[in-house]
Amino acid sequence: MKAQDISRVAVIGAGTMGPGIAGEFARAGCDVRLVDLGPDILRRAMKRLADAHQALIEAKLLSAPKAEAALKSIRPLTSLETACDQVQLLVEALPEDMALKQEMFHRFDALCPEGAVLASNTSGLSITEIARATKRPKLVAGMHFWNPPHIMPLVEVTKGKETSDSTAELVVEMCRRMGKRPILVRHDIPGFIGNRLQYAVLREALHLLSEGIASAEDIDTAMTAGPGLRYGLLGPLRTADLGGLDVYHTISKYLLAELNSDSSPPAVLAEFVEKGRLGAKTGGGFYEYPKEELGKVIRQRDRVLLGFLKVLKEQKGG
Ligand SMILES: NC(=O)c1ccc[n+]([C@@H]2O[C@H](COP(=O)([O-])OP(=O)(O)OC[C@H]3O[C@@H](n4cnc5c(N)ncnc54)[C@H](O)[C@@H]3O)[C@@H](O)[C@H]2O)c1
């Protein structure tokens, strides 16, 4: 099977990620079945996807007729049996719970046609372990979209121990067909690549904060007005190339030993969680988010991200 032959896709789970993932496939011309436990959840999911399409239309990244056609090609369903019938690719976006994912992959395996590829949007659970619940581990891969999936270009395609090269290539090619920026994670390691990079930075940022070296705002500015700009464009390795590897080598000699290397969850994070300060969703974390402010912050984030997306699409020639 080639990526261009994929026309029937199922997305299982219509929470934060599922609707956006379904939209990516639908806009690439696939018939999509979107599954969740009840009609209310599915109605909310379709509304969220319509809102995401509206943001793409306003950013001139999508036309209204294409958005309408894409929504029409998604069939919201509560029946897993109907969703799996004749499907060629299934993407699971269920809660991050290994036992649940294994139970569901066992069912997908029984219900989907032989030869269908089963992918998981897990943020970092083992693809090898998930695949063990099936009789087709060669056809199981990680397909980790980033949130919000209608904007973020990255998809991490992860090979489990038994995933075949052709399955991984097919998933990578399908991502390209959707206009995404896939990367291949050759070995099934916790956190794949994106979250490992993200948590390495977060650990140091929390360490600097708890040591009182700088305020939360100044630590964030150190990234957004400094290395974050270059990383956004070049990534850490090309940035090092441009700085000179000899320079990075010299600095590594004294700096790496100074960096935080704790392997337990940061105490400062545990303190905030204990106090119920979970971030934007509870109105406060390292910053305050009054209700009216939260919508503003998210809209501003999405506007800036959509601007980046336009630049990336222009770089690729559309
Ligand atoms: N939220 C994020 O930012 C994000 C980003 C990337 C990857 N992920 C990963 O994607 C997956 C989904 O995350 P999410 O945030 O969308 O979760 P979520 O909790 O928002 O949504 C999960 C959905 O699955 C549904 N569900 C539960 N059991 C079901 C069943 N048996 N049959 C059908 N539907 C069922 C729930 O009703 C819910 O709507 C997780 O593995 C998560 O780690 C999440």
Side-chain angles (χ1 to χ4, degrees), residues 12-19 21 35-38 41 44 48 77-78 80 92-97 100-101 103-104 107-108 120-125 143-149 195:
I12 315 299
T16 305
M17 296 300 288
I21 295 171
V35 179
D36 210 297
L37 297 170
I41 303 178
R44 276 200 302 275
R48 273 217 316 284
L77 286 169
T78 51
L80 193 59
E92 165 274 317
L94 295 165
E96 188 78 335
D97 172 334
L100 172 69
K101 291 198 195 275
E103 179 199 324
M104 294 301 282
R107 292 185 66 194
F108 304 153
S120 174
N121 187 50
T122 176
S123 303
L125 294 176
M143 192 179 192
H144 180 220
F145 290 82
W146 282 63
N147 189 25
N195 269 323

Side-chain angles (χ1 to χ4, degrees), residues 14-304:
T16 305
M17 296 300 288
I21 295 171
E24 295 301 304
F25 285 108
R27 292 198 303 285
C30 298
D31 279 327
V32 185
R33 295 100 184 248
L34 177 62
V35 179
D36 210 297
L37 297 170
D40 284 350
I41 303 178
L42 288 164
R43 248 192 308 278
R44 276 200 302 275
M46 293 304 284
K47 165 81 175 71
R48 273 217 316 284
L49 181 56
D51 291 346
H53 278 173
Q54 193 51 39
L56 291 174
I57 292 169
E58 281 164 23
K60 302 206 181 336
L61 286 162
L62 181 66
S63 72
K66 275 199 176 158
E68 206 187 313
L71 278 188
K72 279 200 186 128
S73 62
I74 300 175
R75 197 168 149 207
L77 286 169
T78 51
S79 159
L80 193 59
E81 286 76 8
T82 313
C84 292
D85 182 40
Q86 295 187 38
V87 90
Q88 294 161 296
L89 170 63
L90 177 149
V91 182
E92 165 274 317
L94 295 165
E96 188 78 335
D97 172 334
M98 179 57 89
L100 172 69
K101 291 198 195 275
Q102 285 189 322
E103 179 199 324
M104 294 301 282
F105 269 74
H106 183 69
R107 292 185 66 194
F108 304 153
D109 191 33
L111 293 170
C112 291
E114 214 178 292
V117 168
L118 309 179
S120 174
N121 187 50
T122 176
S123 303
L125 294 176
S126 163
I127 302 302
T128 308
E129 288 298 308
I130 293 173
R132 271 200 191 121
T134 75
K135 293 197 187 89
R136 60 177 95 189
K138 286 192 171 119
L139 292 169
V140 177
M143 192 179 192
H144 180 220
F145 290 82
W146 282 63
N147 189 25
H150 66 291
I151 298 180
M152 296 293 279
L154 178 63
V155 182
E156 295 176 288
V157 178
T158 299
K159 284 182 76 177
K161 271 206 178 90
E162 296 193 50
T163 310
S164 69
D165 288 345
S166 57
T167 298
E169 276 158 29
L170 177 74
V171 178
V172 164
E173 275 313 310
M174 189 62 218
C175 292
R176 294 210 175 102
R177 184 178 143 193
M178 296 189 287
K180 294 303 212 192
R181 287 270 178 112
I183 63 163
L184 179 65
V185 186
R186 294 186 198 125
H187 299 284
D188 188 12
I189 54 167
F192 310 136
I193 309 279
N195 269 323
R196 289 178 87 100
L197 295 175
Q198 187 163 258
Y199 275 78
V201 170
L202 181 65
R203 176 166 63 186
E204 189 58 30
L206 291 171
H207 173 67
L208 293 168
L209 185 71
S210 57
E211 291 292 303
I213 308 294
S215 67
E217 197 146 12
D218 282 351
I219 292 169
D220 276 345
T221 303
M223 180 58 84
T224 59
L229 277 180
R230 296 196 301 225
Y231 284 175
L233 194 66
L234 305 168
L237 299 179
R238 204 174 270 119
T239 295
D241 262 352
L242 293 188
L245 299 185
D246 52 334
V247 176
Y248 277 85
H249 183 237
T250 304
I251 295 174
S252 299
K253 283 186 200 163
Y254 68 81
L255 188 54
L256 288 190
E258 298 294 321
L259 300 183
N260 187 270
S261 62
D262 281 354
S263 58
S264 44
V268 58
L269 216 46
E271 273 164 38
F272 273 73
V273 171
E274 236 161 67
K275 282 192 231 144
R277 287 184 64 81
L278 306 185
K281 64 182 167 190
T282 57
F286 297 117
Y287 300 86
E288 299 304 321
Y289 302 89
K291 246 199 172 125
E292 60 286 2
E293 193 70 14
L294 177 58
K296 223 169 76 190
V297 172
I298 290 176
R299 275 194 300 281
Q300 191 185 17
R301 177 200 71 180
D302 287 355
R303 218 178 18 253
V304 173

